[in-house]
Amino acid sequence: MQVFTSVLVLTIVFLVFVITDIRSYKQRKVESMESLAQVVGTNCISTLEFNDDDAAKQILEELHTVSPEIIQAEITDKDGKLFATYIKPGAANFPVPADANENKFTFTGNRLFVTSPIISNNSTIGKVLLQVELSELQQIKQFKYELAALLFLFALLFSFLIAFFIQGYISKRLLRLVNTIKRVSKTGTYEPIADDGKDEISTLIAAFNKLMQQVQESQKRKDEFIGIASHELKTPLTSIKGYMDLLKLKEDRQPNKQFLEKALQNIKKLESLISDLLDVSKIQTGQLELTICEFDMDVLLDETIAAVQMVSTTHQIIRENKAKNEIVIADRQRIEQVLVNLLSNAIKYSPGEKEVFVESKKSGDELIIKVSDSGIGVPKEEQTDIFERFYRTKGISTHISGFGLGLYICKDIIKRHQGKIWVESQAKGSAFYFSLPLKKSE
Amino acid sequence: MNKILVVDDDTDILSLVEIVLTMNDFSVEAISRWEKIDDSIEHFKPDLILLDVSLAGADGRDICKSLKHTNETQHLPVILFSANVEMGKYLQDCDAQAFIAKPFELSHLLDTIKLYVN
């Protein structure tokens, strides 16, 4: 765009330059020929008065030496009758345009016609007409156009080169900024962009750096707050839970015992929520560390299913397509957390249904685990969003509790294991998959 | 009767653990100030120490390490407990026997203690 603008401006400037130069040349030529015509007129006064056409012709022939460009000269008397004429030898006959006699000068093609009255004692006694061949004009035109074209090409090349280097310099810095923005939005990691320039892009980069520092600072404060708050919440919760457990042991009367059960169930929910908040805080501050070991996924699946089954009174968890004794290299506790989360979600989001299915299947050097239900499903447009922080499916009725943290934590845990987690869902039911690297056989 | 020394600066949790352990036939000494550990060990002669990690003015892991490096106390099993689950990773560093995350199930607390005193 900048180069296009430069080319346009250059073209206009060179055109104006050439046109002005030609106009100026023509002006000069008119002035000099008018003067010459006046001189010829003055010299011919006596020849007209004495009707000496030979002398007039002689004067006209003298023009050949004064200005070789003049190819024709005429003197007419006051009645317009031709009195004397001169035609340059070898010159092509060119008709005099009709308006040449009326105007002081006329340009026709590359010819100039100049007329000047012959005045004696304040009365016009005749007229001089000069026809000038502007052969020089063609040369000037050609030279000017060639010069303009050459300068234009040189300027164009020069502006291209400058634009190329400037654009390269600007584009490089802008692309660096764009790439950083993309990385921030994709991974959440940010490194300040170094730029020591003093132009608008530097101002933009400095403003972006400052903004990101503020964002990071506020993110850090928020994450620290979540960490401290979650930790501080756990201490009183320990007392509440412990004393209620004690009370439950002592209390046998109904409905008191039932009330205590309800309170304890909610304490468990609160405990799990605080634990999730702490995990999110760790993910955000990069403190979520894995304790990697080798273990049999088959055993973990059975143990986890048994533990979740114990607390579920509504659903039966069924294992299908068992991949037997597959050894994975992972953080056992964290993978258990992912499984518990997916199983709890499958139960929670399939109210009125009775079964949840778990499958494990070997695929290349990975083990794929599938947890599926016949519940409310996940709309296609939300299948990526559900793995984001605090995201809850729009169609969920408010009585299904949740904070929108579980799948976000699962995604991070699986990602840290170089695995993948995704969901497939039709109109009814959804299937959550995750993959884990298998131990390579020796 | 097995003797348990409980150290936690949160007096509510301290009383809770004291009640639960007493109910389960343990002899308990509960202290909220870590500075009194040496005195308590000397006169109470515990069979196990249940030690909070985040104590006011001290780190339970450092206290544990120091106990394990003293001839008179190195044989004593130490169970750490904390609201910060990450602390469980430092068991080996301070030679503690076990870690219990707060909030805990009473049954889990009792089972873990029984594992090291019998």
Side-chain angles (χ1 to χ4, degrees), chain A residues 156-196:
Chain A
L156 192 67
L157 189 72
F158 197 60
S159 67
F160 259 116
L161 276 174
I162 292 175
F164 178 75
F165 285 115
I166 291 178
Q167 202 178 3
Y169 177 60
I170 292 171
S171 303
K172 208 170 108 188
R173 293 154 74 210
L174 280 176
L175 278 174
R176 210 166 52 195
L177 179 65
V178 169
N179 286 337
T180 307
I181 293 170
K182 276 185 186 167
R183 197 170 53 244
V184 169
S185 65
K186 199 174 175 185
T187 63
T189 54
Y190 159 74
E191 288 289 327
I193 308 167
D195 191 277
D196 49 5

Side-chain angles (χ1 to χ4, degrees), chain A residues 410-433:
Chain A
C410 290
K411 182 181 140 193
D412 192 81
I413 292 172
I414 297 300
K415 210 168 81 182
R416 277 166 205 261
H417 283 88
Q418 274 74 53
K420 279 182 295 193
I421 185 164
W422 71 98
V423 62
E424 286 174 10
S425 181
Q426 302 301 324
K428 195 171 181 237
S430 49
F432 282 83
Y433 298 83

Side-chain angles (χ1 to χ4, degrees), chain A residues 239-441:
Chain A
S239 291
I240 297 169
K241 183 175 149 78
Y243 283 108
M244 290 191 97
D245 272 335
L246 266 180
L247 201 57
K248 202 178 110 187
L249 289 172
K250 295 271 181 195
E251 184 62 70
D252 288 324
R253 289 170 298 168
Q254 290 290 8
N256 300 12
K257 202 172 170 73
Q258 197 190 344
F259 294 162
L260 277 168
E261 291 277 5
K262 290 271 177 211
L264 278 164
Q265 277 170 16
N266 281 284
I267 285 170
K268 266 205 175 303
K269 278 187 192 169
L270 194 59
E271 212 183 312
S272 140
L273 177 60
I274 292 167
S275 175
D276 280 355
L277 281 173
L278 258 172
D279 279 344
V280 170
S281 162
K282 280 181 208 155
I283 290 168
Q284 294 294 309
T285 50
Q287 290 169 354
L288 189 92
E289 288 169 11
L290 301 179
T291 312
I292 300 291
C293 62
E294 288 178 16
F295 62 89
D296 188 338
M297 192 64 190
D298 191 43
V299 175
L300 179 67
L301 279 170
D302 281 340
E303 283 178 10
T304 315
I305 288 171
V308 178
Q309 188 66 78
M310 264 178 71
V311 288
S312 172
T313 51
T314 52
H315 290 66
Q316 195 192 351
I317 306 169
I318 300 162
R319 257 199 92 175
E320 295 180 317
N321 295 341
K322 281 190 181 187
K324 280 280 180 190
N325 304 109
E326 294 294 355
I327 306 294
V328 292
I329 306 165
D331 184 323
R332 197 178 195 276
Q333 210 179 333
R334 289 292 181 189
I335 298 303
E336 186 184 352
Q337 184 182 350
V338 172
L339 281 170
V340 170
N341 208 300
L342 295 182
L343 286 169
S344 309
N345 277 353
I347 292 168
K348 193 159 75 173
Y349 294 111
S350 60
E353 300 295 330
K354 289 187 170 57
E355 288 165 336
V356 166
F357 300 93
V358 179
E359 283 181 42
S360 54
K361 201 171 74 182
K362 200 179 158 186
S363 168
D365 51 0
E366 286 183 326
L367 186 69
I368 301 196
I369 313 292
K370 175 186 176 188
V371 178
S372 57
D373 62 70
S374 332
I376 56 172
V378 183
K380 199 154 187 68
E381 62 275 14
E382 291 185 68
Q383 289 182 2
T384 310
D385 295 336
I386 54 165
F387 293 100
E388 294 304 317
R389 249 196 315 178
F390 302 113
Y391 190 87
R392 300 206 66 214
T393 314
K394 286 170 187 133
I396 291 178
S397 55
T398 45
H399 71 270
I400 300 179
S401 64
F403 224 28
L405 292 175
L407 287 176
Y408 171 74
I409 296 167
C410 290
K411 182 181 140 193
D412 192 81
I413 292 172
I414 297 300
K415 210 168 81 182
R416 277 166 205 261
H417 283 88
Q418 274 74 53
K420 279 182 295 193
I421 185 164
W422 71 98
V423 62
E424 286 174 10
S425 181
Q426 302 301 324
K428 195 171 181 237
S430 49
F432 282 83
Y433 298 83
F434 70 88
S435 63
L436 282 177
L438 280 165
K439 187 192 172 188
K440 288 190 178 79
S441 49

Side-chain angles (χ1 to χ4, degrees), chain A residues 58-181:
Chain A
Q58 210 171 352
I59 290 168
L60 292 181
E61 277 170 2
E62 285 299 314
L63 288 171
H64 172 66
T65 50
V66 178
S67 178
E69 291 171 293
I70 298 170
I71 54 167
Q72 189 187 357
E74 283 178 9
I75 293 170
T76 47
D77 60 16
K78 61 182 176 188
D79 302 323
K81 206 173 130 195
L82 187 67
F83 177 67
T85 183
Y86 157 74
I87 294 173
K88 188 181 173 182
N93 193 18
F94 193 85
V96 178
D99 54 355
N101 287 318
E102 292 157 22
N103 302 327
K104 280 183 82 184
F105 66 89
T106 307
F107 282 99
T108 306
N110 63 338
R111 284 168 200 245
L112 166 66
F113 296 88
V114 177
T115 57
S116 176
I118 304 167
I119 297 163
S120 174
N121 298 325
N122 293 330
S123 61
T124 305
I125 57 165
K127 200 157 65 177
V128 178
L129 171 84
L130 300 179
Q131 188 184 150
V132 186
E133 188 177 38
L134 301 171
S135 53
E136 208 185 335
L137 179 67
Q138 285 305 322
Q139 287 168 4
I140 289 172
K141 268 187 183 174
Q142 198 178 348
F143 174 72
K144 294 286 176 190
Y145 280 130
E146 276 174 8
L147 180 72
L150 201 70
L151 282 172
F152 175 77
L153 278 175
F154 179 72
L156 192 67
L157 189 72
F158 197 60
S159 67
F160 259 116
L161 276 174
I162 292 175
F164 178 75
F165 285 115
I166 291 178
Q167 202 178 3
Y169 177 60
I170 292 171
S171 303
K172 208 170 108 188
R173 293 154 74 210
L174 280 176
L175 278 174
R176 210 166 52 195
L177 179 65
V178 169
N179 286 337
T180 307
I181 293 170

Side-chain angles (χ1 to χ4, degrees), chain A residues 173-174 177 180-181 184 190-216:
Chain A
R173 293 154 74 210
L174 280 176
L177 179 65
T180 307
I181 293 170
V184 169
Y190 159 74
E191 288 289 327
I193 308 167
D195 191 277
D196 49 5
K198 286 187 170 44
D199 54 3
E200 289 85 351
I201 295 173
S202 300
T203 315
L204 178 68
I205 289 174
F208 175 74
N209 277 338
K210 199 172 174 190
L211 175 76
M212 283 313 296
Q213 273 166 11
Q214 284 171 347
V215 169
Q216 275 190 323

